[in-house]
Structure formats: structure tokens, C-alpha cells
Amino acid sequence: MPETYVVAGANLAGGTAAATLRGDGFEGRVVLVGEEPVAPYERPPLSKEFLRGEAPFEKALIRPPDFWDANQIECRFGSRVARIDVGSRQAILDDGEAIRYDKVLVATGLRNRTLGVPGAHLGGVHTLRTVADAEAIRAHAAGATRAVVVGMGFIGAEVAASLRLCGLEVVAVEPLPAPCYRALGPQIGAVVAAIHADHGVKMHLGESVDAFEGGDRVERVVTGSGMRIDCDVVVVGVGASPVTDLLEDEGVHLENGIVVDEHCRTNIDGVYAAGDVANHLHPLVGHHIRVEHWQNAMKQGAAAAKAMLGSTEPYDEVHWFWSDQYDANIQSAGHVSDWANPVIRGDLESRSFVAFYLRDGWIEGAVALNRGRDLRRCIALMKSKAVVDPAKLADPDTDVRSALATV
Amino acid sequence: MGEPVILCPADAVPDQQMKAFPVGSDQIAVARVDGELYAFDDTCTHAACSLADGELEGATVICPCHMGQFDLKTGEVLDGPPPDPISVYPVQETDGKLTVELD
Ligand SMILES: Cc1cc2nc3c(=O)[nH]c(=O)nc-3n(C[C@H](O)[C@H](O)[C@H](O)COP(=O)(O)OP(=O)(O)OC[C@H]3O[C@@H](n4cnc5c(N)ncnc54)[C@H](O)[C@@H]3O)c2cc1C
Ligand code: FES
């Protein structure tokens, strides 16, 4: 009997994993089950060029449309795995169909959080995760002139930028002291705030939302301090939670997502997880970590597939992500545990810089604005945990790769 | 048959470096890696960033914006978000100049 590998969740991590199983020569049955009615696609354009109507959806597909059939990957798009029965090794779909598996990869990603305030379900109040969400925002924004963005994490900040570029007035409400504060820290967060201010976004920091008001459609946002902001459309970006319901009560260790080891294995034999949903024991970081980034979803999806095929390589990529807002390209690599005292190459005002965050002399994390080459160059230093010379790192005329401390 | 276009003096592209040149409405980049020359479309197929602003790792160019990677020998995508390959062109050093043959 050939083996059956089921992949639950058919987007970047799941799709890449299914493709990798075939690419690496797996000859058994591969079943890729995804709740969205479309083939795996890239989410980054949803807050950027797709939202602005500059790029068609087809450009976002992770593989050409005929790839899945051509590789004999059985696709169940528009189908949800209701439950994984780890005892009998079956994936039970919404419609009751049970697929017996030898191994299963769970790559179910995230579900957006919503605000539990009055009016949160009014028409015109959106969140953004799927292409359907992006289409709905686009449709509402087309006839609108005033938008409110609630939450200026990456998705909120990118949506604010895109809506500005489409000519809408944008007011942003963010409870933290700066946009992208958790991911970029206070200093770079302030730079991002300045970029949005330059582009005419009116930002209320340290402000929360108490209610949305309107008839059928939202007309107003009421904030914690009592401001009333008139608007035609609202996008809420207040974070997302890992989708783990299909594994509830199955004995799989669930904590901040699905807990996996260096090889993307859960505590239950034959059950793996990857991507945004996986809380992974990262050898470089030294503890479990769950990230919500494109690169991790793709590489970890591939690594999980290889582990299912018996590879003993741990997954130890340096985490990395980007965000594009207007013409600002922000990239970040590694993991910052302390935002104090970065070493800056370039300068914050000129908006071309890298901030390096050191720990015990090595580069633990870095954030770059419009400086991708330098960021790329420091990744090998992060991976080797080499002790660096801060003066060389800060000197734009010294190649980042040669910023090692001399002993 | 390709149409030869003179891009620049040969010393404009030192070893282990790359540079982009406007040719008509396009940008063509030239890289020199361990003495070998490579010419290719400078515009990344993902979000149109200039590849010459990125990084060279051997005969691989890495886009500065989202780390898309292209093989300079074939134009093929090796890693990252780019959906399509880039075009690569024959390039020669003659009479102290770099000449590229576009399609
Ligand atoms: C708007 C937006 C913009 C982004 N921009 C960037 C960016 O610029 N840079 C960056 O680094 N990252 C970005 N990201 C993050 C990146 O897209 C994610 O990290 C990546 O998509 C995660 O992939 P995944 O496969 O793990 O999860 P997802 O992409 O969330 O896919 C999970 C899939 O599983 C399906 N699913 C869930 N439950 C079930 C079930 N029970 N049965 C079957 N299917 C199920 C879901 O419907 C979904 O299709 C962005 C994300 C969003 C939403
Ligand atoms: S523009 Fe080159 S990888 Fe995105």
C-alpha cells in the first residue's frame, strides 16, 4: 500500500509542503485540503498591489494553476478539515469524508481577531486575511472617501498606505505608542509614524476604539477618549490567533499555536505543523517561537515536508520578513530581545539605515529601511553568532560582512 | 539575432560588482563574478526593484526588496517571491567596452 500524506491548510506553508513532497520524490498519495476555494497564493499583495488594483490575483498564485494536477496532488479547495483523529489516523472533512493518513501536516495559519465592541459587525467594518477580504475592502473603498484603520501593525500600516495611495483620507487609531511597535520597537516605530504623517495619514496613537456607529453601514468610529471620527469604511488590523480547533482534545500539545520540535514534529507520532500556526523550537533562538512571516511559512513548510520524508536536518533559518509602505521597504531579520541602544548604520532621518541589535556581542536582530543589501549581508553573521565590532557595523564604508571583532 | 549595444567602459563594472544601465525604456544590469560577465534584466519580476541594488553571491543575484534569487547563468528563480525568471543576455568585453546582445 502506498502511503498517504494529508496536508491540512492549503496556502503558503501547506502548498509549499505538498509541492516539496512531490519535488523530493514522494510517490504515495498527497491530499491538500484547504478551506479557501482557491489554490495557494501569496498574501503579501493583499494589503499592497492587489488592494490598490495594480496586480491581478493570478500573479499571486504560488504555483501555476496546472501545477497541482500535473504533480498528482489531490486538491480539496473549499473544504475544511473539521477534525484530525490522531488515534485512528484520519482527517475528517466538513462533509463527513474521512481520509486515512500515514502522516499529516497541519498548516492552518491564523484567524483574524475582531474587536468585541458595539458595532463591530456593521457593514463596511473589515478585517484582512484572505483574497475575499481584500476584494471586499476594495469594493467598499472604491466608493469611499474617508477610511479609518484600527491597529497599525504591519497589515494596518500597509492598508493605510495603500488607501492613501488610492486617494482616500486615512485616520489611524493605534493603542500602542507607535505603529509596528511590537515588531520594530520604539525607535523605528517612530520613523514609520513619520513616514505615514508625511503621506497625510492622521494618526491617533495611544488611542483605543470603543464603538462603531452607523445604520447598516459604519458611519463613525468612537474612540476611548471620546473622539468621533466620521468615515465610510473601516479596516481593523488587531492581530490574529492560530487556528488549532481541528486538533482540540487530541492530545497534541497546543500552546500559542501547535508546539513542534526542530523538525516540525508535534508530540504525537505522524502529526507535523508548519507556518504561522506552528510554535517551533528554533535551534538558533534557543526556545519555542511562533512567527507570522512569509519566509518562515515557505521554508518551514518545505522543511516539514522533508522531515515527513525522513530528513534529520533541523529547521534553523534566520527568521526574516519585509513590509512595504509607500516607497519604504522595511526588512527585519533575527529576533530582538532588547530594543535599547541599537547600532545604527546610515541615519534614521535619511530613511536609509540598518539598526543592529546586539546581544553578548553578536547580532541578534536587525531592522533595515531601504537597505536590503546590508540586511542580507548580516544574516550570515547572525547565523554564526559571530562577535562583531559595533564601530565597523556603524560605518557605511565597511562591508557588513567584514564587521567581525578582531580578537 | 541579437542587436549589440555598448553599455559602458569595461572598468565601470569591477569584479564582484554589478551595475544597471538604461537601454531604451529598460534597465539592463551587468555583473562580473570571478572574471565572468553576466548581463540580465535589472527589473525584478516580483515588484520591480532594481536587482543591481541587491547582492551578488557567486553567480546568484539577490533582490534588495524581498530576497528573490535569480541564477545569472539562466535567469531562473532560485528562491523567494518572484513569479517569473528574468531574461539573461550574452555580454562581451571588447576594445575596453562592455557590449550586450539584446533579443
Ligand atoms: C494582508 C497580509 C499581508 C502580508 N504581508 C506580508 C509581508 O509583506 N511580508 C511577510 O513576510 N509576511 C506577510 N504576511 C504574512 C504571510 O502572508 C503569512 O506568514 C503566510 O501567509 C503564512 O502562511 P501559512 O500557510 O502558514 O498560513 P495561511 O496563509 O494563513 O494559510 C492557512 C490556510 O489554511 C486554511 N485553513 C485553516 N483551517 C483549516 C482547516 N481546518 N481545514 C482546511 N484548511 C484550513 C486557511 O483557510 C488558509 O488558507 C502577510 C499576511 C497578510 C494577511
Ligand atoms: S521585488 Fe524582487 S523579490 Fe520582490
Side-chain angles (χ1 to χ4, degrees):
Chain A
M1 268 291 274
E3 287 192 305
T4 299
Y5 288 1
V6 171
V7 179
N11 203 52
L12 187 56
T16 305
T20 305
L21 287 173
R22 280 290 180 249
D24 282 24
F26 179 64
E27 288 179 350
R29 188 174 171 216
V30 178
V31 189
L32 177 61
V33 189
E35 192 170 5
E36 289 179 72
V38 289
Y41 62 95
E42 312 263 346
R43 299 199 192 281
L46 299 183
S47 48
K48 310 179 186 75
E49 48 273 44
F50 182 80
L51 193 65
R52 298 194 295 268
E54 294 164 8
F57 176 64
E58 291 65 40
K59 206 183 164 205
L61 293 172
I62 74 165
R63 292 289 187 285
D66 55 4
F67 173 87
W68 309 99
D69 272 356
N71 284 278
Q72 288 158 328
I73 294 167
E74 279 178 50
C75 296
R76 311 290 177 85
F77 301 145
S79 207
R80 201 175 79 91
V81 176
R83 195 162 72 80
I84 292 175
D85 184 333
V86 303
S88 64
R89 294 204 180 215
Q90 295 187 87
I92 323 268
L93 307 194
D94 250 356
D95 63 7
E97 181 187 350
I99 307 172
R100 229 203 79 82
Y101 64 79
D102 294 282
K103 292 179 182 171
V104 63
L105 172 66
V106 183
T108 42
L110 309 175
R111 181 177 294 134
N112 282 334
R113 286 191 206 112
T114 50
L115 285 175
V117 300
H121 299 292
L122 284 178
V125 178
H126 299 269
T127 64
L128 175 55
R129 182 134 312 262
T130 64
V131 62
D133 296 336
E135 277 164 349
I137 296 171
R138 223 159 78 169
H140 266 155
T145 54
R146 300 158 309 172
V148 173
V149 172
V150 181
M152 283 289 274
F154 284 116
I155 293 178
E158 291 181 355
V159 168
S162 287
L163 294 179
R164 277 304 294 144
L165 292 171
C166 291
L168 277 77
E169 288 168 30
V170 176
V171 177
V173 179
E174 162 61 56
L176 292 172
C180 308
Y181 186 82
R182 282 207 186 89
L184 299 180
Q187 259 181 307
I188 316 294
V191 176
V192 176
I195 290 172
H196 282 277
D198 286 356
H199 284 88
V201 172
K202 217 169 145 198
M203 210 174 315
H204 299 292
L205 296 168
E207 186 72 76
S208 58
V209 165
D210 268 6
F212 300 103
E213 293 178 353
D216 294 342
R217 289 276 306 265
V218 65
E219 290 163 21
R220 202 169 310 103
V221 175
V222 183
T223 72
S225 71
M227 274 189 299
R228 304 165 78 76
I229 309 166
D230 291 331
C231 60
D232 314 306
V233 60
V234 171
V235 180
V236 178
V238 292
S241 338
V243 176
T244 59
D245 354 2
L246 68 173
L247 283 174
E248 217 66 63
D249 304 322
E250 291 293 329
V252 174
H253 188 185
L254 303 178
E255 190 181 337
N256 181 26
I258 303 171
V259 178
V260 295
D261 68 7
E262 313 84 306
H263 307 284
C264 305
R265 298 179 298 208
T266 67
N267 58 315
I268 302 284
D269 184 47
V271 182
Y272 297 72
D276 282 6
V277 79
N279 188 4
H280 164 253
L281 179 58
H282 197 294
L284 275 181
V285 182
H287 54 79
H288 282 89
I289 184 152
R290 190 178 65 74
V291 295
E292 303 173 358
H293 312 152
W294 185 94
Q295 170 245 19
N296 180 67
M298 185 184 70
K299 303 262 167 165
Q300 203 174 54
K306 287 177 189 291
M308 292 166 87
L309 295 174
S311 162
T312 54
E313 276 302 278
Y315 172 74
D316 65 353
E317 291 272 333
V318 172
H319 286 159
W320 161 78
F321 67 86
W322 80 86
S323 172
D324 292 318
Q325 302 171 31
Y326 315 100
D327 48 11
N329 171 253
I330 302 165
Q331 296 183 48
S332 171
H335 277 281
V336 181
S337 52
D338 181 1
W339 293 106
N341 306 315
V343 175
I344 309 279
R345 161 183 290 239
D347 81 301
L348 300 187
E349 256 85 82
S350 73
R351 296 186 187 160
S352 167
F353 62 81
V354 189
F356 298 97
Y357 299 84
L358 306 191
R359 175 172 159 193
D360 302 331
W362 54 277
I363 307 170
E364 184 186 35
V367 178
L369 182 61
N370 297 330
R371 220 155 162 136
R373 183 187 288 165
D374 284 337
L375 188 92
R376 173 75 196 181
R377 288 184 173 175
C378 79
I379 287 181
L381 294 177
M382 288 179 176
K383 198 153 187 179
S384 65
K385 298 194 176 175
V387 174
V388 291
D389 178 345
K392 288 185 193 159
L393 268 189
D395 173 15
D397 296 326
T398 303
D399 188 323
V400 170
R401 292 169 298 186
S402 56
L404 294 176
T406 37
V407 276
Chain B
M1 271 309 283
E3 151 211 359
V5 181
I6 296 174
L7 289 181
C8 61
D11 59 5
V13 185
D15 207 24
Q16 314 308 331
Q17 290 191 28
M18 53 188 165
K19 211 166 179 167
F21 304 92
V23 177
S25 57
D26 297 329
Q27 291 278 328
I28 304 295
V30 176
R32 198 191 293 267
V33 182
D34 301 328
E36 262 326 290
L37 285 166
Y38 301 94
F40 51 99
D41 276 338
D42 181 52
T43 308
C44 183
T45 58
H46 177 231
C49 290
S50 161
L51 294 172
D53 288 341
E55 174 69 327
L56 272 176
E57 291 181 4
T60 298
V61 63
I62 299 160
C63 180
C65 289
H66 319 107
M67 294 204 201
Q69 301 192 13
F70 299 92
D71 183 339
L72 292 184
K73 296 191 168 116
T74 61
E76 179 194 356
V77 181
L78 298 176
D79 198 3
D84 299 306
I86 48 171
S87 299
V88 296
Y89 309 99
V91 54
Q92 260 145 37
E93 185 170 332
T94 32
D95 304 331
K97 294 192 172 65
L98 298 186
T99 307
V100 60
E101 265 179 56
L102 303 179
D103 315 321

